[in-house]
Amino acid sequence: MKHFFSITIIVFCCIQVHIAFAQELETETARLPKQGYAKFGTAFEYQTSAIGKEYAVPLVLGFGIADRLEFVLEPVLYTNINTIGTPSATGIGDFEVTLTYLLSKKAPPSLPLHSQVR
């Protein structure tokens, strides 16, 4: 039983470290920038499957409109989709606009409300 507890703690710590290194563009948070502040993030994404490969360079620009309101622009600056048996698609990708309002700042849980247009 003592070894089970030790192994459980080690696995839990490893999972937490993995979550901490998540990309900015792949996570949603209730921690919005304060009014007048901005955030910026970018990444290189590579995906592969049995039917092809995809490369993308997304960007995120977030602006604190108010302490509980955030405006986010998420353009994909470049995408390259290569599917087996079909022509590849290359160029500018999706463009998302998100407005997030923080309903409750109490922790836990904080409650954000998202509205998104693609």
Side-chain angles (χ1 to χ4, degrees):
M1 185 68 175
K2 183 178 179 182
H3 294 290
F4 176 77
F5 181 72
S6 298
I7 292 171
T8 303
I9 295 297
I10 291 169
V11 169
F12 179 75
C13 290
C14 291
I15 290 171
Q16 293 302 315
V17 169
H18 176 70
I19 292 170
F21 289 108
Q23 292 180 359
E24 172 72 24
L25 299 168
E26 299 297 328
T27 59
E28 297 291 337
T29 181
R31 295 185 179 135
L32 307 181
K34 294 187 183 284
Q35 182 177 1
Y37 285 81
K39 68 178 182 179
F40 170 84
T42 189
F44 175 77
E45 297 178 352
Y46 172 74
Q47 299 178 29
T48 184
S49 71
I51 61 169
K53 299 176 183 177
E54 179 179 345
Y55 308 89
V57 181
L59 175 71
V60 63
L61 301 166
F63 306 97
I65 297 172
D67 284 344
R68 298 172 72 169
L69 185 64
E70 177 187 34
F71 179 71
V72 179
L73 301 171
E74 295 183 49
V76 176
L77 302 177
Y78 175 78
T79 189
N80 183 334
I81 302 169
N82 297 303
T83 307
I84 297 171
T86 61
S88 64
T90 303
I92 296 174
D94 295 344
F95 187 86
E96 296 179 11
V97 177
T98 306
L99 191 62
T100 302
Y101 180 74
L102 189 58
L103 297 173
S104 170
K105 286 178 118 176
K106 295 181 182 179
S110 296
L111 298 172
L113 177 66
H114 297 281
S115 177
Q116 189 175 70
V117 176
R118 288 183 177 211

